[in-house]
Amino acid sequence: MVGISARPGLAEEVGELGSRVPRPREDGESDRGGVVAESDDELVAEIRRGEQVMRDALFGQLLRIAEAERRGLHGTSGARSVQAWLREMLNLAAGEARRRVQVAREVTERVGLGGEQLPPALPETAGAMRNGEITLAHAGTIVDGVAAMPPGVDATERHAADALLARQARELPPHELRSAGEHLRYLLDQDGALRTEEYQVEHRELRIATGRDGMTVLNGRLDRESGAELRAALQPLAAPRREADGVPDTRSPAKRNADAFVDLLERKHGDARAQVRVTIDYDQLTEGLVADGACEERNPQPDVFGRAPRTGGTVDNTEQPITAAAARRLACDAEVLPLVVGGDGQPLDVGRSERTAPAHIRAALSARDGSCAFPDCDRPPGTSQAHHVRHWADGGATALHNMVMLCGHHHRLIHRQRWEVTMDDGWPAFLPPVWVDPARSPRGRARTRHQRTREPPG
């Protein structure tokens, strides 16, 4: 049996706090009791003290839940699991019972196969809970974050992740801590992060239907890049507005979003690209970019885990992590404002929106390349994206001679598979990677007879 211990003096504090809880009076008067007589400072102090005692008591309960599971008490009562046993005994919601058991397993001491006592799986989180510095919600978020890390993460990295998240949990609310855990997973599982982004692209969807009342019903999911662009386009238009007489905007957030969406359509969004701001380390932004836009590896500095980082930034308006490859892809044609930071996290430069193709260049690109210049592209016309041949982060100009129109599929292909784009007498040519064509013979899209007999636009 593992010894059970919580903070010394906990039982006495719980008993003292309980004796001070206002009780209903028998004569039916208010049960506010002595609370009314307390000063403001006393009220605040008692609220803080009550929270601390409840956190301490909860940690003591988690210790006992773990011990009860080791003893198999749920089996003796006929429950199929310790979660079910706890739910029935304490009349808890299923999710709450499951969360307490999950956390108890990770923050309490364990017993090895030989009967030896082992430290908690998450010792830093356990220490923060023992000291009453974090809540069950914080601990559960850390448990989820560590559990989501890839199998290749070793014990040292897991311990570092536990320490980092436990430290941040002392300052961040649970929902922000969850975002920090996701960023950490992106850092440690870089290949998985890229697979996640590709999965989201393949599974994005938008359903448009007509309700019985005749209203159009939208329902869908977007990948991170597209979602960031949509939010960046809608948020300025969906902000609350004040009427001329100073009356506050009474529209609900959902109504403001709907009005902003309609406004976006009326503004013909294709002529004014949405502005997305990405915070990204300069070395990660430029990794893989060399002269002439070829995607070759550079030598980035290792991260805090000793790994070469490839995941770069954060989309500021969604606070979601994004890979450096996706940031570079977004930067080609979305109006991305990269907040470039140095190794110390200090801003080095805020990008300018001139890197986005203006209307006259987009018109010339469309005239030259159609909806996509990639050879044999069979994608139907859609929202085309202007790609820099020599990336703007490497000094490339936003000009017709340095840009090519691509559909979304082939734009992602260019960045992901390392195709090289060159200009052949004013027309784009595509050099495949060596594993597609060892000779890397240039490929170009077949031109119409009219295009073959005239100079490229510009």
Side-chain angles (χ1 to χ4, degrees):
M1 180 180 72
V2 175
I4 297 177
S5 62
R7 184 168 58 82
L10 172 61
E12 291 77 5
E13 288 192 24
V14 172
E16 181 184 350
L17 182 67
S19 67
R20 302 177 64 176
V21 175
R23 306 291 184 183
R25 296 183 179 180
E26 294 182 359
D27 56 7
E29 294 182 8
S30 172
D31 60 1
R32 295 165 66 192
V35 172
V36 177
E38 292 178 346
S39 67
D40 292 351
D41 290 342
E42 290 173 334
L43 277 174
V44 173
E46 286 301 313
I47 291 173
R48 290 182 180 274
R49 186 164 177 268
E51 176 65 21
Q52 185 65 47
V53 172
M54 287 190 293
R55 291 186 184 186
D56 290 340
L58 179 60
F59 183 71
Q61 186 191 66
L62 295 180
L63 294 174
R64 289 164 174 83
I65 289 173
E67 180 63 23
E69 184 174 30
R70 279 187 284 268
R71 297 185 187 184
L73 296 186
H74 61 282
T76 60
S77 65
R80 67 180 182 275
S81 66
V82 66
Q83 294 96 317
W85 174 70
L86 199 65
R87 184 184 70 242
E88 294 297 328
M89 180 174 63
L90 302 181
N91 192 26
L92 298 175
E96 175 69 12
R98 181 171 58 253
R99 176 59 85 193
R100 293 191 193 184
V101 173
Q102 288 174 336
V103 173
R105 290 169 177 166
E106 303 299 319
V107 302
T108 59
E109 296 174 340
R110 300 163 294 161
V111 177
L113 296 177
E116 69 277 14
Q117 186 168 303
L118 302 175
L122 301 177
E124 299 298 328
T125 302
M129 285 207 76
R130 184 183 301 107
N131 296 331
E133 297 172 309
I134 64 175
T135 66
L136 180 70
H138 286 102
T141 300
I142 296 175
V143 169
D144 291 343
V146 174
M149 292 179 181
V153 173
D154 59 29
T156 301
E157 291 173 330
R158 287 182 181 273
H159 179 75
D162 170 41
L164 175 63
L165 293 176
R167 185 168 63 251
Q168 293 187 333
R170 293 176 171 90
E171 301 177 359
L172 300 178
H175 72 279
E176 292 185 15
L177 183 65
R178 184 175 300 107
S179 177
E182 187 177 12
H183 279 268
L184 189 59
R185 181 181 67 83
Y186 255 53
L187 177 65
L188 293 175
D189 189 15
Q190 297 167 359
D191 293 335
L194 291 171
R195 287 194 299 270
T196 296
E197 290 181 347
E198 292 175 358
Y199 174 88
Q200 290 180 356
V201 169
E202 291 302 319
H203 290 80
R204 60 187 177 187
E205 57 185 3
L206 178 63
R207 296 184 176 89
I208 304 176
T210 303
R212 293 183 178 181
D213 59 357
M215 296 189 71
T216 298
V217 180
L218 304 178
N219 182 24
R221 301 185 304 163
L222 296 177
D223 58 277
R224 297 186 182 212
E225 295 176 45
S226 303
E229 289 194 71
L230 178 63
R231 286 175 180 267
L234 289 181
Q235 282 174 347
L237 303 177
R241 60 171 181 255
R242 287 188 174 274
E243 303 297 338
D245 56 359
V247 176
D249 193 340
T250 59
R251 297 175 299 164
S252 67
K255 178 64 180 298
R256 296 201 308 269
N257 283 337
D259 291 346
F261 184 72
V262 174
D263 192 9
L264 197 64
L265 298 178
E266 293 174 350
R267 290 170 182 243
K268 296 182 179 179
H269 175 51
D271 294 333
R273 304 293 287 176
Q275 187 180 89
V276 179
R277 191 171 69 185
V278 176
T279 300
I280 185 170
D281 181 85
Y282 178 78
D283 290 335
Q284 295 182 34
L285 176 68
T286 57
E287 179 190 351
L289 298 176
V290 295
D292 299 325
C295 292
E296 298 177 5
E297 294 294 333
R298 289 183 174 177
N299 296 312
Q301 295 298 314
D303 58 33
V304 294
F305 294 94
R307 297 183 174 187
R310 293 196 304 273
T311 54
T314 302
V315 181
D316 287 6
N317 61 323
T318 64
E319 297 185 353
Q320 289 182 311
I322 191 171
T323 59
R328 290 192 292 268
R329 192 165 57 243
L330 262 175
C332 277
D333 198 30
E335 193 165 346
V336 174
L337 279 169
L339 178 60
V340 181
V341 297
D344 57 357
Q346 294 297 318
L348 297 177
D349 180 49
V350 176
R352 300 182 303 275
S353 61
E354 280 78 357
R355 73 180 118 267
T356 300
H360 69 282
I361 290 183
R362 292 182 66 87
L365 286 170
S366 296
R368 185 192 69 190
D369 301 336
S371 59
C372 181
F374 196 90
D376 302 319
C377 176
D378 59 354
R379 296 276 169 155
T383 304
S384 300
Q385 300 171 3
H387 170 79
H388 285 72
V389 175
R390 178 183 171 90
H391 203 281
W392 59 262
D394 224 24
T398 301
L400 184 63
H401 69 269
N402 190 50
M403 304 194 78
V404 59
M405 195 69 87
L406 298 170
C407 67
H409 169 75
H410 285 118
H411 196 183
R412 290 187 295 273
L413 183 97
I414 291 293
H415 284 272
R416 186 173 62 245
Q417 295 189 357
R418 301 184 179 183
W419 285 69
E420 184 179 351
V421 184
T422 62
M423 301 303 292
D424 179 16
D425 196 25
W427 300 93
F430 298 80
L431 277 65
V434 292
W435 59 269
V436 173
D437 179 6
R440 302 199 69 197
S441 301
R443 303 181 184 184
R445 186 170 185 176
R447 307 175 201 165
T448 64
R449 183 175 61 182
H450 173 68
Q451 290 175 325
R452 288 195 297 267
T453 57
R454 66 177 175 88
E455 294 293 324

